[in-house]
Amino acid sequence: GGEPELVFQQNSAAFPLRGRPVQQIDYAAVSGSGEVTMLVRTPDYEMELISVRKGEQAVSFLKAGDTVDVRAPLSFSGILQGDRSGPAHVFLGGFGSSIWEVSPGVLKPTLLIGERIAGIQLYTGSNTANARKAPNGEIYLTQTSGAGLLRIRRDERDFALRPPVTLSEGITAGAPFNITVNGRGDLLWQATTNRGDQRLVLTRNGQHTPLLGNGVNNQPVTRVDGAVVTSWAGQLLDGQGRVMATLRFAGGSAGLYIWQDGNWRLMAMAGVTEHRGRPVAGFGNMRAGEDGFYVVLNLSGLGNTLARWRQDGWETVIATDETIVTGHLANNVGTFEVNRSGDVFAQCNTNSQVLVVKRGARTHYIQALNDLTPDGDLIVRTTEYDLRDDGTVYFLGLTASDEYVLYMAKPM
């Protein structure tokens, strides 16, 4: 209720820590007793926690490099998908989480919040929407500060893209998001430009090629088949460097298109294209393989069918009336993954959810809800799936004990 009172000031010799001024205060909080805790940067450490009371000297109680013995619950926020041979990598700690490598019996930090990544840049966290692993195990992610697209390969860290990225004369793109990467090193990414619109960009051999733009304020727009593209979704990059995306047009129509050799070509139009003798009502989950694209097609009267596009048309991978290994009809295909060997992992919603891997014409059982796992847990929900080239599957499962567990299923 009184006048503000100065407790601490950065870059001031009157408020020293270990005899020198504190360079910068990043965050601060006050307790009910009036003690102020601050996250600061000092001449000695890039991150340090100090506390101070009015009229007293500041005290440091935790700094970068300290080792702390902590026991605390882990919070899974997702699996980094895209790797085809290495160990699993997960986000732990909620939104903007640290990245950890997981293998049986080992939990190893890959990138922790607060670590120095390049120059004075510190890792501020990322999330699964803005992170992807390449088939060779390299990790690409845009951190929450928007500093750029960070690349991690083995123990090396660098920026694959740093904003602003020049797209053409006078047009620059900001921090990339919605990243896809293939085994050749091609990058597909989205960004906001200095013109106030969104662009979808393919980066190959250091060259940036804008594929789509939803220009505003009379800026150039993208036309496909004579219609104006207003937005896009589900963009993917296959092993050959082709791009697939769902394009929406002025007027409300939506179609699935493939970009190849500099042009967009129609794959399926909702309400027009037919598959298995039924109109395609919409498109669900999508994935890219080495030689084509996989899409859940919602067929009128048949539900969700998993289909594959290779060169010039669709072929069914898992049909709704197909009998899987448990004796159930597949009924409805939800989330799925594909590997470079042509195997398909699928979440089939029969009367209960069943997880399977399909190799050729055969399906192989992984897990069903309310079936006991080999270690005696009862899984009541599954999320976040990843598939390796040898058929190994990683998935997150919620148990009847209300614990999230990372499971690994090895092919038998």
Side-chain angles (χ1 to χ4, degrees):
E3 291 295 318
E5 297 180 87
L6 182 61
V7 176
F8 196 86
Q9 185 175 353
Q10 67 182 24
N11 287 321
S12 172
F15 296 90
L17 180 71
R18 295 186 295 273
R20 291 191 288 177
V22 167
Q23 293 173 318
Q24 182 174 322
I25 301 171
D26 288 331
Y27 302 98
V30 63
S31 71
S33 65
E35 182 181 40
V36 178
T37 300
M38 292 175 281
L39 178 64
V40 300
R41 303 184 192 189
T42 70
D44 305 309
Y45 302 99
E46 62 266 26
M47 295 183 74
E48 192 165 356
L49 281 172
I50 66 174
S51 64
V52 66
R53 290 180 180 273
K54 183 179 179 299
E56 299 181 5
Q57 291 286 318
V59 176
S60 170
F61 61 92
L62 189 65
K63 56 189 179 298
D66 284 351
T67 299
V68 183
D69 189 12
V70 175
R71 292 182 60 85
L74 296 176
S75 174
F76 283 113
S77 56
I79 301 174
L80 275 76
Q81 298 172 338
D83 194 0
R84 291 295 170 249
S85 59
H89 281 80
V90 297
F91 279 122
L92 292 176
F95 182 83
S97 303
S98 298
I99 299 172
W100 294 72
E101 177 185 310
V102 185
S103 53
V106 177
L107 187 62
K108 175 184 174 184
T110 297
L111 188 60
L112 301 177
I113 290 178
E115 279 194 64
R116 189 185 300 274
I117 52 179
I120 62 170
Q121 287 285 343
L122 303 181
Y123 177 57
T124 58
S126 187
N127 55 75
T128 53
N130 290 321
R132 189 73 179 169
K133 290 178 74 176
N136 62 4
E138 293 180 357
I139 296 174
Y140 292 80
L141 58 92
T142 300
Q143 62 170 357
T144 55
S145 67
L149 183 63
L150 182 67
R151 175 172 51 202
I152 304 173
R153 37 188 171 183
R154 294 176 295 277
D155 294 325
E156 300 176 7
R157 301 167 188 172
D158 63 355
F159 280 97
L161 293 171
R162 295 202 73 165
V165 179
T166 301
L167 300 181
S168 61
E169 187 174 351
I171 300 178
T172 57
F177 57 94
N178 287 343
I179 307 132
T180 304
V181 59
N182 65 10
R184 306 193 320 178
D186 301 332
L187 281 171
L188 183 68
W189 51 281
Q190 189 171 329
T192 301
T193 75
N194 61 337
R195 302 293 177 89
D197 63 355
Q198 299 273 329
R199 300 291 171 106
L200 181 66
V201 182
L202 176 65
T203 297
R204 178 177 295 157
N205 298 325
Q207 299 296 314
H208 309 301
T209 304
L211 306 185
L212 293 171
N214 59 347
V216 294
N217 301 325
N218 298 319
Q219 299 296 336
V221 297
T222 301
R223 291 180 180 270
V224 174
D225 292 340
V228 174
V229 176
T230 58
S231 65
W232 56 87
Q235 57 267 20
L236 291 171
L237 181 65
D238 76 353
Q240 300 179 33
R242 301 181 300 179
V243 175
M244 181 188 71
T246 300
L247 308 187
R248 296 192 178 278
F249 300 95
S253 61
L256 202 59
Y257 280 78
I258 185 170
W259 183 90
Q260 185 178 14
D261 300 327
N263 297 298
W264 287 100
R265 182 161 62 99
L266 180 66
M267 300 166 68
M269 183 67 71
V272 177
T273 302
E274 290 191 354
H275 182 64
R276 300 187 69 203
R278 300 297 180 95
V280 175
F283 320 111
N285 291 311
M286 306 174 187
R287 295 291 185 268
E290 283 299 291
D291 60 348
F293 296 97
Y294 296 71
V295 181
V296 172
L297 301 178
N298 182 263
L299 305 180
S300 298
L302 285 180
N304 289 339
T305 293
L306 179 58
R308 173 174 50 220
W309 173 281
R310 281 190 167 160
Q311 294 298 330
D312 295 305
W314 296 100
E315 58 186 39
T316 299
V317 178
I318 299 179
T320 53
D321 55 357
E322 179 177 332
T323 302
I324 59 176
V325 64
T326 58
H328 297 89
L329 295 180
N331 195 35
N332 210 340
V333 179
T335 304
F336 68 95
E337 289 290 336
V338 299
N339 64 15
R340 292 181 293 188
S341 302
D343 303 331
V344 178
F345 162 87
Q347 175 195 48
C348 296
N349 297 306
T350 61
N351 293 329
S352 179
Q353 175 191 283
V354 179
L355 306 181
V356 299
V357 167
K358 186 168 185 178
R359 284 181 166 171
R362 293 189 60 190
T363 55
H364 302 263
Y365 173 81
I366 296 175
Q367 184 67 28
L369 292 190
N370 301 313
D371 274 5
L372 288 176
T373 66
D375 51 357
D377 276 335
L378 191 67
I379 299 177
V380 298
R381 181 170 170 242
T382 61
T383 62
E384 297 281 336
Y385 313 97
D386 208 13
L387 175 66
R388 298 292 186 266
D389 284 339
D390 67 355
T392 299
V393 175
Y394 294 94
F395 67 94
L396 287 177
L398 179 65
T399 70
S401 304
D402 201 30
E403 292 179 334
Y404 257 122
V405 180
L406 179 67
Y407 288 99
M408 177 180 68
K410 299 289 287 186
M412 299 293 286

PDB file of all heavy atoms in Angstrom, residues 126-154:
ATOM      1  N   SER A 126      10.830 -26.918 -26.520  1.00  0.00           N
ATOM      2  CA  SER A 126      10.095 -27.091 -27.757  1.00  0.00           C
ATOM      3  C   SER A 126       8.923 -28.016 -27.459  1.00  0.00           C
ATOM      4  O   SER A 126       8.665 -28.361 -26.310  1.00  0.00           O
ATOM      5  CB  SER A 126      11.004 -27.659 -28.848  1.00  0.00           C
ATOM      6  OG  SER A 126      10.346 -27.696 -30.095  1.00  0.00           O
ATOM      7  N   ASN A 127       8.196 -28.432 -28.499  1.00  0.00           N
ATOM      8  CA  ASN A 127       7.087 -29.369 -28.318  1.00  0.00           C
ATOM      9  C   ASN A 127       6.972 -30.222 -29.570  1.00  0.00           C
ATOM     10  O   ASN A 127       7.588 -29.934 -30.597  1.00  0.00           O
ATOM     11  CB  ASN A 127       5.773 -28.631 -28.018  1.00  0.00           C
ATOM     12  CG  ASN A 127       5.440 -27.604 -29.085  1.00  0.00           C
ATOM     13  OD1 ASN A 127       5.007 -27.957 -30.172  1.00  0.00           O
ATOM     14  ND2 ASN A 127       5.657 -26.334 -28.779  1.00  0.00           N
ATOM     15  N   THR A 128       6.163 -31.282 -29.499  1.00  0.00           N
ATOM     16  CA  THR A 128       6.131 -32.262 -30.586  1.00  0.00           C
ATOM     17  C   THR A 128       5.602 -31.681 -31.885  1.00  0.00           C
ATOM     18  O   THR A 128       5.906 -32.194 -32.957  1.00  0.00           O
ATOM     19  CB  THR A 128       5.275 -33.479 -30.196  1.00  0.00           C
ATOM     20  OG1 THR A 128       3.988 -33.021 -29.756  1.00  0.00           O
ATOM     21  CG2 THR A 128       5.933 -34.276 -29.090  1.00  0.00           C
ATOM     22  N   ALA A 129       4.826 -30.603 -31.840  1.00  0.00           N
ATOM     23  CA  ALA A 129       4.320 -30.003 -33.071  1.00  0.00           C
ATOM     24  C   ALA A 129       5.438 -29.357 -33.878  1.00  0.00           C
ATOM     25  O   ALA A 129       5.319 -29.202 -35.093  1.00  0.00           O
ATOM     26  CB  ALA A 129       3.239 -28.970 -32.758  1.00  0.00           C
ATOM     27  N   ASN A 130       6.515 -28.975 -33.216  1.00  0.00           N
ATOM     28  CA  ASN A 130       7.603 -28.280 -33.889  1.00  0.00           C
ATOM     29  C   ASN A 130       8.914 -29.053 -33.804  1.00  0.00           C
ATOM     30  O   ASN A 130       9.995 -28.457 -33.805  1.00  0.00           O
ATOM     31  CB  ASN A 130       7.789 -26.883 -33.297  1.00  0.00           C
ATOM     32  CG  ASN A 130       6.646 -25.960 -33.656  1.00  0.00           C
ATOM     33  OD1 ASN A 130       6.145 -25.995 -34.771  1.00  0.00           O
ATOM     34  ND2 ASN A 130       6.200 -25.164 -32.706  1.00  0.00           N
ATOM     35  N   ALA A 131       8.838 -30.376 -33.718  1.00  0.00           N
ATOM     36  CA  ALA A 131      10.038 -31.204 -33.642  1.00  0.00           C
ATOM     37  C   ALA A 131       9.850 -32.457 -34.484  1.00  0.00           C
ATOM     38  O   ALA A 131       8.752 -32.996 -34.581  1.00  0.00           O
ATOM     39  CB  ALA A 131      10.335 -31.582 -32.196  1.00  0.00           C
ATOM     40  N   ARG A 132      10.935 -32.911 -35.097  1.00  0.00           N
ATOM     41  CA  ARG A 132      10.869 -34.095 -35.948  1.00  0.00           C
ATOM     42  C   ARG A 132      12.240 -34.743 -36.003  1.00  0.00           C
ATOM     43  O   ARG A 132      13.262 -34.056 -35.976  1.00  0.00           O
ATOM     44  CB  ARG A 132      10.436 -33.682 -37.357  1.00  0.00           C
ATOM     45  CG  ARG A 132      10.118 -34.843 -38.281  1.00  0.00           C
ATOM     46  CD  ARG A 132       8.824 -35.510 -37.925  1.00  0.00           C
ATOM     47  NE  ARG A 132       8.509 -36.614 -38.826  1.00  0.00           N
ATOM     48  CZ  ARG A 132       7.544 -37.484 -38.617  1.00  0.00           C
ATOM     49  NH1 ARG A 132       6.781 -37.372 -37.565  1.00  0.00           N
ATOM     50  NH2 ARG A 132       7.309 -38.458 -39.472  1.00  0.00           N
ATOM     51  N   LYS A 133      12.281 -36.071 -36.103  1.00  0.00           N
ATOM     52  CA  LYS A 133      13.530 -36.784 -36.317  1.00  0.00           C
ATOM     53  C   LYS A 133      13.592 -37.244 -37.766  1.00  0.00           C
ATOM     54  O   LYS A 133      12.596 -37.672 -38.345  1.00  0.00           O
ATOM     55  CB  LYS A 133      13.622 -37.990 -35.385  1.00  0.00           C
ATOM     56  CG  LYS A 133      13.809 -37.609 -33.920  1.00  0.00           C
ATOM     57  CD  LYS A 133      13.845 -38.825 -33.023  1.00  0.00           C
ATOM     58  CE  LYS A 133      15.150 -39.584 -33.160  1.00  0.00           C
ATOM     59  NZ  LYS A 133      15.236 -40.719 -32.220  1.00  0.00           N
ATOM     60  N   ALA A 134      14.780 -37.125 -38.354  1.00  0.00           N
ATOM     61  CA  ALA A 134      15.001 -37.645 -39.698  1.00  0.00           C
ATOM     62  C   ALA A 134      15.189 -39.158 -39.609  1.00  0.00           C
ATOM     63  O   ALA A 134      15.510 -39.692 -38.545  1.00  0.00           O
ATOM     64  CB  ALA A 134      16.230 -36.984 -40.314  1.00  0.00           C
ATOM     65  N   PRO A 135      15.004 -39.885 -40.725  1.00  0.00           N
ATOM     66  CA  PRO A 135      15.215 -41.332 -40.694  1.00  0.00           C
ATOM     67  C   PRO A 135      16.600 -41.746 -40.216  1.00  0.00           C
ATOM     68  O   PRO A 135      16.775 -42.853 -39.705  1.00  0.00           O
ATOM     69  CB  PRO A 135      14.983 -41.743 -42.160  1.00  0.00           C
ATOM     70  CG  PRO A 135      14.031 -40.717 -42.681  1.00  0.00           C
ATOM     71  CD  PRO A 135      14.442 -39.439 -42.019  1.00  0.00           C
ATOM     72  N   ASN A 136      17.602 -40.865 -40.363  1.00  0.00           N
ATOM     73  CA  ASN A 136      18.957 -41.189 -39.897  1.00  0.00           C
ATOM     74  C   ASN A 136      19.181 -40.817 -38.433  1.00  0.00           C
ATOM     75  O   ASN A 136      20.297 -40.922 -37.933  1.00  0.00           O
ATOM     76  CB  ASN A 136      20.000 -40.503 -40.768  1.00  0.00           C
ATOM     77  CG  ASN A 136      19.910 -38.984 -40.714  1.00  0.00           C
ATOM     78  OD1 ASN A 136      19.109 -38.423 -39.970  1.00  0.00           O
ATOM     79  ND2 ASN A 136      20.721 -38.315 -41.517  1.00  0.00           N
ATOM     80  N   GLY A 137      18.138 -40.366 -37.735  1.00  0.00           N
ATOM     81  CA  GLY A 137      18.235 -40.070 -36.307  1.00  0.00           C
ATOM     82  C   GLY A 137      18.508 -38.620 -35.970  1.00  0.00           C
ATOM     83  O   GLY A 137      18.492 -38.259 -34.793  1.00  0.00           O
ATOM     84  N   GLU A 138      18.782 -37.754 -36.964  1.00  0.00           N
ATOM     85  CA  GLU A 138      18.984 -36.342 -36.661  1.00  0.00           C
ATOM     86  C   GLU A 138      17.682 -35.723 -36.149  1.00  0.00           C
ATOM     87  O   GLU A 138      16.594 -36.061 -36.617  1.00  0.00           O
ATOM     88  CB  GLU A 138      19.448 -35.588 -37.915  1.00  0.00           C
ATOM     89  CG  GLU A 138      20.829 -35.987 -38.397  1.00  0.00           C
ATOM     90  CD  GLU A 138      21.251 -35.229 -39.645  1.00  0.00           C
ATOM     91  OE1 GLU A 138      20.430 -34.432 -40.153  1.00  0.00           O
ATOM     92  OE2 GLU A 138      22.382 -35.430 -40.111  1.00  0.00           O
ATOM     93  N   ILE A 139      17.819 -34.808 -35.190  1.00  0.00           N
ATOM     94  CA  ILE A 139      16.664 -34.148 -34.594  1.00  0.00           C
ATOM     95  C   ILE A 139      16.585 -32.707 -35.101  1.00  0.00           C
ATOM     96  O   ILE A 139      17.579 -31.986 -35.103  1.00  0.00           O
ATOM     97  CB  ILE A 139      16.759 -34.158 -33.058  1.00  0.00           C
ATOM     98  CG1 ILE A 139      16.708 -35.598 -32.528  1.00  0.00           C
ATOM     99  CG2 ILE A 139      15.639 -33.326 -32.423  1.00  0.00           C
ATOM    100  CD1 ILE A 139      16.948 -35.712 -31.034  1.00  0.00           C
ATOM    101  N   TYR A 140      15.401 -32.303 -35.537  1.00  0.00           N
ATOM    102  CA  TYR A 140      15.144 -30.935 -35.962  1.00  0.00           C
ATOM    103  C   TYR A 140      14.031 -30.364 -35.086  1.00  0.00           C
ATOM    104  O   TYR A 140      12.987 -30.999 -34.923  1.00  0.00           O
ATOM    105  CB  TYR A 140      14.709 -30.881 -37.422  1.00  0.00           C
ATOM    106  CG  TYR A 140      15.784 -31.262 -38.417  1.00  0.00           C
ATOM    107  CD1 TYR A 140      16.078 -32.593 -38.673  1.00  0.00           C
ATOM    108  CD2 TYR A 140      16.501 -30.285 -39.096  1.00  0.00           C
ATOM    109  CE1 TYR A 140      17.069 -32.953 -39.590  1.00  0.00           C
ATOM    110  CE2 TYR A 140      17.489 -30.624 -40.014  1.00  0.00           C
ATOM    111  CZ  TYR A 140      17.765 -31.952 -40.247  1.00  0.00           C
ATOM    112  OH  TYR A 140      18.746 -32.301 -41.146  1.00  0.00           O
ATOM    113  N   LEU A 141      14.244 -29.174 -34.547  1.00  0.00           N
ATOM    114  CA  LEU A 141      13.203 -28.575 -33.712  1.00  0.00           C
ATOM    115  C   LEU A 141      13.298 -27.064 -33.704  1.00  0.00           C
ATOM    116  O   LEU A 141      14.372 -26.485 -33.844  1.00  0.00           O
ATOM    117  CB  LEU A 141      13.272 -29.117 -32.275  1.00  0.00           C
ATOM    118  CG  LEU A 141      14.568 -28.949 -31.493  1.00  0.00           C
ATOM    119  CD1 LEU A 141      14.547 -27.659 -30.689  1.00  0.00           C
ATOM    120  CD2 LEU A 141      14.795 -30.131 -30.575  1.00  0.00           C
ATOM    121  N   THR A 142      12.136 -26.427 -33.589  1.00  0.00           N
ATOM    122  CA  THR A 142      12.060 -24.987 -33.394  1.00  0.00           C
ATOM    123  C   THR A 142      11.761 -24.743 -31.930  1.00  0.00           C
ATOM    124  O   THR A 142      10.724 -25.182 -31.432  1.00  0.00           O
ATOM    125  CB  THR A 142      10.959 -24.365 -34.268  1.00  0.00           C
ATOM    126  OG1 THR A 142      11.246 -24.630 -35.637  1.00  0.00           O
ATOM    127  CG2 THR A 142      10.898 -22.861 -34.067  1.00  0.00           C
ATOM    128  N   GLN A 143      12.646 -24.061 -31.229  1.00  0.00           N
ATOM    129  CA  GLN A 143      12.415 -23.859 -29.805  1.00  0.00           C
ATOM    130  C   GLN A 143      11.432 -22.716 -29.581  1.00  0.00           C
ATOM    131  O   GLN A 143      11.106 -21.945 -30.482  1.00  0.00           O
ATOM    132  CB  GLN A 143      13.725 -23.625 -29.074  1.00  0.00           C
ATOM    133  CG  GLN A 143      14.506 -22.394 -29.487  1.00  0.00           C
ATOM    134  CD  GLN A 143      15.653 -22.154 -28.531  1.00  0.00           C
ATOM    135  OE1 GLN A 143      15.824 -22.871 -27.549  1.00  0.00           O
ATOM    136  NE2 GLN A 143      16.435 -21.131 -28.778  1.00  0.00           N
ATOM    137  N   THR A 144      10.937 -22.614 -28.352  1.00  0.00           N
ATOM    138  CA  THR A 144       9.846 -21.696 -28.044  1.00  0.00           C
ATOM    139  C   THR A 144      10.219 -20.239 -28.242  1.00  0.00           C
ATOM    140  O   THR A 144       9.351 -19.402 -28.455  1.00  0.00           O
ATOM    141  CB  THR A 144       9.371 -21.901 -26.597  1.00  0.00           C
ATOM    142  OG1 THR A 144      10.495 -21.761 -25.704  1.00  0.00           O
ATOM    143  CG2 THR A 144       8.766 -23.274 -26.403  1.00  0.00           C
ATOM    144  N   SER A 145      11.503 -19.907 -28.194  1.00  0.00           N
ATOM    145  CA  SER A 145      11.918 -18.516 -28.383  1.00  0.00           C
ATOM    146  C   SER A 145      11.883 -18.091 -29.842  1.00  0.00           C
ATOM    147  O   SER A 145      12.026 -16.906 -30.152  1.00  0.00           O
ATOM    148  CB  SER A 145      13.350 -18.315 -27.852  1.00  0.00           C
ATOM    149  OG  SER A 145      14.277 -19.040 -28.646  1.00  0.00           O
ATOM    150  N   GLY A 146      11.682 -19.055 -30.775  1.00  0.00           N
ATOM    151  CA  GLY A 146      11.652 -18.725 -32.188  1.00  0.00           C
ATOM    152  C   GLY A 146      13.007 -18.388 -32.766  1.00  0.00           C
ATOM    153  O   GLY A 146      13.100 -17.713 -33.795  1.00  0.00           O
ATOM    154  N   ALA A 147      14.088 -18.859 -32.134  1.00  0.00           N
ATOM    155  CA  ALA A 147      15.437 -18.502 -32.594  1.00  0.00           C
ATOM    156  C   ALA A 147      15.783 -19.128 -33.936  1.00  0.00           C
ATOM    157  O   ALA A 147      16.663 -18.647 -34.634  1.00  0.00           O
ATOM    158  CB  ALA A 147      16.469 -18.919 -31.549  1.00  0.00           C
ATOM    159  N   GLY A 148      15.112 -20.198 -34.317  1.00  0.00           N
ATOM    160  CA  GLY A 148      15.416 -20.853 -35.588  1.00  0.00           C
ATOM    161  C   GLY A 148      15.233 -22.351 -35.488  1.00  0.00           C
ATOM    162  O   GLY A 148      14.765 -22.872 -34.464  1.00  0.00           O
ATOM    163  N   LEU A 149      15.573 -23.051 -36.569  1.00  0.00           N
ATOM    164  CA  LEU A 149      15.433 -24.504 -36.628  1.00  0.00           C
ATOM    165  C   LEU A 149      16.751 -25.133 -36.197  1.00  0.00           C
ATOM    166  O   LEU A 149      17.745 -25.097 -36.925  1.00  0.00           O
ATOM    167  CB  LEU A 149      15.062 -24.938 -38.048  1.00  0.00           C
ATOM    168  CG  LEU A 149      14.812 -26.435 -38.237  1.00  0.00           C
ATOM    169  CD1 LEU A 149      13.621 -26.899 -37.416  1.00  0.00           C
ATOM    170  CD2 LEU A 149      14.581 -26.754 -39.714  1.00  0.00           C
ATOM    171  N   LEU A 150      16.748 -25.716 -34.997  1.00  0.00           N
ATOM    172  CA  LEU A 150      17.945 -26.317 -34.432  1.00  0.00           C
ATOM    173  C   LEU A 150      18.079 -27.753 -34.935  1.00  0.00           C
ATOM    174  O   LEU A 150      17.090 -28.480 -35.034  1.00  0.00           O
ATOM    175  CB  LEU A 150      17.865 -26.300 -32.905  1.00  0.00           C
ATOM    176  CG  LEU A 150      19.067 -26.859 -32.142  1.00  0.00           C
ATOM    177  CD1 LEU A 150      20.280 -25.977 -32.351  1.00  0.00           C
ATOM    178  CD2 LEU A 150      18.736 -26.966 -30.658  1.00  0.00           C
ATOM    179  N   ARG A 151      19.312 -28.171 -35.248  1.00  0.00           N
ATOM    180  CA  ARG A 151      19.587 -29.534 -35.708  1.00  0.00           C
ATOM    181  C   ARG A 151      20.560 -30.191 -34.737  1.00  0.00           C
ATOM    182  O   ARG A 151      21.580 -29.600 -34.381  1.00  0.00           O
ATOM    183  CB  ARG A 151      20.159 -29.511 -37.113  1.00  0.00           C
ATOM    184  CG  ARG A 151      20.600 -30.878 -37.651  1.00  0.00           C
ATOM    185  CD  ARG A 151      20.973 -30.778 -39.115  1.00  0.00           C
ATOM    186  NE  ARG A 151      21.918 -29.691 -39.355  1.00  0.00           N
ATOM    187  CZ  ARG A 151      22.099 -29.112 -40.543  1.00  0.00           C
ATOM    188  NH1 ARG A 151      21.396 -29.489 -41.583  1.00  0.00           N
ATOM    189  NH2 ARG A 151      22.982 -28.131 -40.674  1.00  0.00           N
ATOM    190  N   ILE A 152      20.240 -31.416 -34.304  1.00  0.00           N
ATOM    191  CA  ILE A 152      21.108 -32.175 -33.404  1.00  0.00           C
ATOM    192  C   ILE A 152      21.501 -33.461 -34.119  1.00  0.00           C
ATOM    193  O   ILE A 152      20.644 -34.259 -34.497  1.00  0.00           O
ATOM    194  CB  ILE A 152      20.392 -32.516 -32.082  1.00  0.00           C
ATOM    195  CG1 ILE A 152      19.890 -31.246 -31.398  1.00  0.00           C
ATOM    196  CG2 ILE A 152      21.317 -33.287 -31.146  1.00  0.00           C
ATOM    197  CD1 ILE A 152      19.029 -31.516 -30.177  1.00  0.00           C
ATOM    198  N   ARG A 153      22.792 -33.661 -34.341  1.00  0.00           N
ATOM    199  CA  ARG A 153      23.279 -34.901 -34.936  1.00  0.00           C
ATOM    200  C   ARG A 153      24.459 -35.381 -34.109  1.00  0.00           C
ATOM    201  O   ARG A 153      25.439 -34.667 -33.951  1.00  0.00           O
ATOM    202  CB  ARG A 153      23.665 -34.709 -36.398  1.00  0.00           C
ATOM    203  CG  ARG A 153      24.306 -33.400 -36.753  1.00  0.00           C
ATOM    204  CD  ARG A 153      24.449 -33.257 -38.253  1.00  0.00           C
ATOM    205  NE  ARG A 153      24.865 -31.926 -38.643  1.00  0.00           N
ATOM    206  CZ  ARG A 153      25.005 -31.521 -39.891  1.00  0.00           C
ATOM    207  NH1 ARG A 153      24.751 -32.355 -40.869  1.00  0.00           N
ATOM    208  NH2 ARG A 153      25.371 -30.304 -40.182  1.00  0.00           N
ATOM    209  N   ARG A 154      24.285 -36.580 -33.574  1.00  0.00           N
ATOM    210  CA  ARG A 154      25.216 -37.104 -32.586  1.00  0.00           C
ATOM    211  C   ARG A 154      25.314 -36.095 -31.444  1.00  0.00           C
ATOM    212  O   ARG A 154      24.309 -35.803 -30.811  1.00  0.00           O
ATOM    213  CB  ARG A 154      26.565 -37.437 -33.233  1.00  0.00           C
ATOM    214  CG  ARG A 154      26.473 -38.598 -34.240  1.00  0.00           C
ATOM    215  CD  ARG A 154      27.785 -38.846 -34.943  1.00  0.00           C
ATOM    216  NE  ARG A 154      28.190 -37.743 -35.774  1.00  0.00           N
ATOM    217  CZ  ARG A 154      27.740 -37.553 -37.013  1.00  0.00           C
ATOM    218  NH1 ARG A 154      26.880 -38.387 -37.545  1.00  0.00           N
ATOM    219  NH2 ARG A 154      28.177 -36.533 -37.718  1.00  0.00           N
TER     220      ARG A 154
END
